[in-house]
Amino acid sequence: MAAALDFTYRYAFPSGVVANETGGPQLSLATCDADLAKPYFFDGKLRKPRQTGEMLYVLSDVVRTHFFLPRPVILDPVLTSNEKLLRLEGFSGCCGVYARVDLPEGIFQGNCHGRGTTNVDFNIDMRNALLRLRDDEQVEFAVGADEVVLSRGNQRTVEKKVQLPLRWIKGFSEVQAYLPQLEVAMEVPAPDALRFLRSLPRSSVPKLPTFAISAARSIRPSQREVTGAVPIHGTHRIKVLEPLLLRARSLRVWVDRASGASGWEVRFEEGSFFLLISPELYRGFSGEGQALSALANPPGADAIAKVRASLKWQSELNAGALADQLGLQRTDVVGALAVLGSRGLAGFDSESGNYFHRELPFDLDKVEEMQPRLGNARKLIETGKIALLSPASDDAPAIYEVAGTGTTHRVRLEEQGAACTCPWFSKYQGQRGPCKHILAASIMASDEEGEPKA
Amino acid sequence: MTPDDLEQLILENNDTEAVRLAFKGMDEKARKKLSSTASALQRQLWDGKANATSSDRLTKFLKARKEASYTHWNSRANSNAALAVFAVGPLSAVKKWQTRPSYEDSQVLRKIIADRRPEWLEDWVHHELEQEWTRIEFPTLRIWIRDGLISRPESDGYYRLFASHLMRTGFYGRDKEAVPPLSKQLLDDPALLDDIEWLFRIETNAFNTNSWLVKGAADHYETWPQALVKLADGGHYDRGKLLDLALAGLQADIKQNQLSGYHKFFRLLKPGDDQLAARQPALVALLCHPVGHVAKFAIDMLAGLEKAKLLDDDQVLREMPSVFSGEGKGNGIAALRLLEKVARRTARQAEGRPDANALGAVIEGLRHAHADVQAKAIALLTTYADALDRAQWQDIESFGAFMSVSNRAAMNDLLGQAGDAIEPASIAAAPAAVDEAASYTPDIRSFAECSVLGEANRLEPVKDLQELIDLAFHCAEIVDDVDEIERLLDGISRFADQRPADFQDRVNPLIHRMSKRGSSHNGLASAYPGVAESVRALVLTWAMGELRGSHKQELVQYSREDAFVPMITFLHWVARHVHRREPRQLLSTPTHEGGWIDPVVWTERLQHLASNGTVEDSIDFRLSLLRLAPDNRCRARANAEALAGNAGRLARFALGGDEAPVRNDRKHYVSWITAARARDPMADWSELFEPLDIDDPWPGGAVPSAYRWHSAIEAGQHGDMRWKTPIFEVEVERADGKSNAAANGRAAFSSISRLLGVRKRIGWEAMPTAAVHQHQSKAKYHWYGDLNTTWVAQWLGYIWPQDPAFACYRGVRKLMQRVDDNASNWTPAHGFFKALFVRGRPWGEAGHLLLALGLVGKDADAKGLAVDALIEGIETRQFNPALFADVMARVSAGEWVKYNRLGESLKQVVQVSPVHANAIGAALLHWLPKFDLGQRNAFHVLEALVEAQAIAPQSLGLEARTAFGQLSGKTKAAKLAQQMLA
């Protein structure tokens, strides 16, 4: 399997802050989708230019950073447009930090010309200009450009040839499996949050995870995991939020206790900036296997197809309503959305608790192939290396034997969770998703006969 | 040329010119025929291995090479082969990184290429210039460009070569080369002048400010900035263009180091006021720059314009607030100074009312990270309070939440001038002085008065065999906490007889894993020699059913901890029981975190053992004594009344009963001493044990231990090089001050007694309370030893939780070894802090010393845990301000402490609550009068005190007032001292 895909971002013009016809500033984001079309989604005015500029600046910080290697990459963010919301999502070069900017209606006024998802050009000139947007200016805002403007052909086109690492695409897709698991751990006023971020180490960094703990309605860092603590591995990853907190309302901290991933949501009067960091600095979201359980036992193909057909760039996909509409069980709809999310076809908004439709503008067929652990699990079944040792009974779990390297592992499928004797499971205890042995056992268990599939 | 001729040419020719001439004039068809031979030869010479189809000549040639293949990479034959590949090979062959002629062959290679004029040359150059390191030299490129072999490359690599070649010193490896001044090189090849602007667009080392780049250069040497200034001075290059390029470069996405080179170059060009004024928009744009020193440069330049009365107020005041988003104090102060000048000037022009935007920008300074910047902003706003409008007052009020505590009083004074612009209620009342009754009081109870058991720290034993197996699998990979090890040992011992039919199948993967060894530092599978290896052997004994030894004990360079010697004996003892499949409840299994055993549970265990036979005087029994909690001892003693035999007497004595050792107890001396230490860890028991006539010279035996330590600094010099090394020595001895020899008691008499068999000598290895104070292996490598496994370091404090001072001092030694090192996975030092999180037990001097070294060290893991320990220790009253002050006074006497680290840590603690501020304030007020406040960076500690005083004011004692009053001058420490005295 190739480690990266050759990909070319082609934009009709470079994004930037330019002077409009009246001489005022205009923030123009250039667009380009997977089919190399250049959609025109929006034009209007920004009601909060400074806040928007700062949010996009921090987003650019994330997408141009590899958080543990000095390897600068700029893998452009993707923007999803509909009438209610503009969403920009970015993913760091190290695949361990996901950032999302939510720009609701209150932040801009203007016309939505279309729904869809597109890459948007981020470049250094635009980045330099973003911090100079001021609220006392009338700043125009456009996502894409209309045919008339493009047909003039007087703009410099932009082509950026990049190597998109497959694990980057996979991580970008799979991050959606974490978001539904998040729960709110704490919310603190912006000044306290700023003080907290400033207190995090800059130069001499800890090897152990740091924890954010709630202290007298505020927040402070700690090296101890106490009840309610939120783990942070790689504190510099959340320090990128600092510039946003000067003008924000609060910081809401989310955590997925099972995996150790945490979400950091800077909330403004209108709009928010959401940052999700992986459980460890050196572990990106790809390969974490959080989506594997859903993929190993997906709802029926019909259910997935029906749900997929109903996707129309909605900013919220209510599973209950969708189930009623499609005549499916709610659990099937949730399962189908999880599968579609892992394929890059839906995102999840923890705030609303709902998925939203967007399609990552890459060759997503490859994403399907990038689940080696699931593939290995299926291979174990195909090669007959797994066998049911004893079926589940009232007082005993089902036990499977799986041939491993030099030994035979045992998998127990219990109601409170599966367990395996392999080193992977023994070390992580399921925190990094099920091992291939558990996946194989659960696939077999879903088969009525408990026999390996041909 | 035949392939054989080619081989001979490569292997046997020492004349590179002959190699070149051999290919001269050869057409591409002929070259192609030799291509595969050249590539195969080159590959085999590189690998040092002949193919099956190799000629005898080549096989013999390679066989004659005795050394490793890499030692021949620069040999004549290898270089010839590389030249041959360039002479006849395709692009794919020359692109391989192994195809590299030696540097001495550069000229020949150039001629070979010129002779051949290969069609791949441009592609190869492009490929080479994209690599991090290229073998092509810049003069070669220039010649090929000049001769029309290639067009001028446009890749970044070309400009990097351009920059580095022209700035070479000629020093490294080419000491005979006379490098002309850089400006001359440019003027000699004027086409290069067009390339100069690229030095401002991409990352090169042209503006790198590292001094080593010019080390050993000739007197006439010019750096790039010097050369460019010279060209501008001489009219060869437009100065204005250079100024613009430097400013544009500062907006580029490149390293900070190079950015500083750009603005230094800009200053070197000495732009006049008019030139600066013309570039004012670009300078203003840099105020938003995320790199602090770039923004500082912009502020400095704009300050120059202000002086020249050329500042564009509108532009500057619009962007200046961005400066306060950065963390740098210097930038914030510089920005406020400039704003102060603007405010003063505009106020003069408008009847005392300064430009509103200037005041608006100053208001943004209130949100700056640093208290000094906030203070200056408050002072400025106070000066112009009359000119502030309602909206500005409301902004000031809303920024109050960003204010540091030390500025809150001044902020309230400022808001007091707002009149009706804000609600009076929003002005927070200044904190009142802490009521003496409510001030912090530490826990100073003796051990017997302490209470350490609670529901929150109760340990849940392993409930069945499956849970035990799961725990063993997990511990094989990683031990998250030492309590897991305690539960594992307990489970293995209790379930030793449970071996259902499928047991072996269930644990086989564990045996397989443990036999293969793991990779995690903290997993049992990869346990290092010492106590961890013994735990691993015990687990294998249980899983395999055969007694397993810990075979790595004798590793020469490994520093085994003497404190664990009895523990290793214990583990072997357990292993033997497990091997015999005798299940037993271990007496020494903790019932609570921290290594504690509830005495009531302990006596129940004893009773259970007694009901099945006798209680043996085992290592398990001795270790259990040292873990008895101070709680519930009376109840436990009542339970122990029914216990018969020696064990009953020992138990009752340990729990405070009336029993006492008699001469017949000599053979159980170790258990009696251990019981005595369990009864009162710090007492001198020598008188009670005198009748036993035992030769016990060890600290921690009948006589308690005493630790002595001191902090100093040692100056060293070697040639011109001078340095200072922190010295920190910890020694342990008997509390009675008698050396081991003297304590041997009348040495001669003692020896005779021993010879007569009357007086018995006890070794420290058998006596846990003596072993913990031994440090025999201190000379070995600290980076390779037991305590580099975190759970083992934690376990140290579990051996004797009643008196964990030895574990704290061991931690202190470890922390000192790496006081200026970053956190490490290989030699972690944070495990020792577990001892400070055991509730209900005052820390004592050792605990406070461990805390102090954690706070002043660089290791972020240890420091973070020290801060946590301090915060929790104040909540639980285990922290003693006076003791901490004494410890800090002695530590700081060494004059090696980094006070910035300490101040930063203390400030974090101060902000947690008024109680924390009060405790830290009390500690600092105790310490600082004994401290030389003139030490470097001592002001950081004073800053912490100022913060503490702002939150929980305490009156300064006479000593503190005197010490602060002696600080004079304009140092930061003096200013802070004056602030506190005011």
Side-chain angles (χ1 to χ4, degrees), chain A residues 57 64 128 132 134 137 195 198 204 206-208 220 222-224 242 246-247 405 408 412 421 426, chain B residues 251 253 285 290 318-319 322 327 367 369 401 466 470 474 509 512 822-823 837 858 860-861 868 872:
Chain A
Y57 183 87
R64 68 200 287 273
N128 289 337
R132 301 190 66 195
R134 293 289 178 269
E137 292 173 328
R195 216 167 280 130
R198 284 172 174 170
S204 178
K207 296 278 183 192
L208 296 174
R220 74 169 181 86
S222 168
Q223 289 301 108
R224 294 241 298 157
E242 259 186 68
L246 285 171
R247 271 163 278 279
T405 311
T408 302
R412 297 197 313 274
T421 57
S426 297
Chain B
Q251 291 281 18
D253 185 20
R318 180 181 184 278
E319 302 299 345
S322 305
E327 283 193 49
R367 293 200 278 200
Q466 186 56 56
D470 288 344
H474 181 58
H512 175 74
N822 282 320
F837 292 100
K858 193 178 180 190
D861 285 328
D868 287 333
E872 290 188 29

Side-chain angles (χ1 to χ4, degrees), chain A residues 50 54 57 64 72 74 124-125 127-128 131-134 136-137 190-192 194-195 197-199 201-209 213 215-216 220-224 226 239 242-243 245-247 399 401 405-410 412 414 419-429, chain B residues 251-253 281 284-285 288 290 315 318-319 321-322 324-327 364 367-370 400-404 408 466 470 473-474 477-478 502 505-506 508-510 512-513 516 519-520 821-825 830 837 839 858-861 863-865 867-868 871-872 875 904 908 911-912:
Chain A
R50 184 168 193 161
E54 288 176 345
Y57 183 87
R64 68 200 287 273
I74 300 183
I124 192 69
D125 290 340
R127 183 179 147 81
N128 289 337
L131 286 183
R132 301 190 66 195
L133 297 177
R134 293 289 178 269
D136 56 5
E137 292 173 328
D192 288 352
L194 186 61
R195 216 167 280 130
L197 290 185
R198 284 172 174 170
S199 71
R202 261 168 300 175
S203 50
S204 178
V205 292
K207 296 278 183 192
L208 296 174
I213 61 174
R220 74 169 181 86
S222 168
Q223 289 301 108
R224 294 241 298 157
V226 296
K239 277 180 86 77
E242 259 186 68
L245 286 165
L246 285 171
R247 271 163 278 279
I399 296 176
E401 273 193 345
T405 311
T407 190
T408 302
H409 293 297
R410 285 191 163 210
R412 297 197 313 274
E414 295 177 297
C420 178
T421 57
C422 71
W424 174 270
F425 182 84
S426 297
K427 184 167 185 179
Y428 298 112
Q429 306 278 294
Chain B
Q251 291 281 18
D253 185 20
V284 169
C288 303
Q315 272 195 63
R318 180 181 184 278
E319 302 299 345
S322 305
F324 301 114
S325 304
E327 283 193 49
E364 282 290 330
R367 293 200 278 200
H368 194 272
H370 204 281
F402 292 92
M403 201 56 48
S404 71
R408 281 182 195 159
Q466 186 56 56
D470 288 344
F473 271 102
H474 181 58
E477 298 306 324
I478 188 163
D502 63 348
D505 291 338
R506 287 158 77 179
N508 270 342
L510 176 69
H512 175 74
R513 182 74 182 140
K516 272 182 65 181
S519 54
S520 160
D821 292 349
N822 282 320
S824 159
N825 284 331
H830 53 82
F837 292 100
R839 297 284 173 95
K858 193 178 180 190
D859 180 332
D861 285 328
K863 191 169 153 186
L865 279 170
V867 170
D868 287 333
I871 289 170
E872 290 188 29
E875 284 157 10
E904 184 190 314
Q908 277 189 51
Q911 286 169 5
V912 174

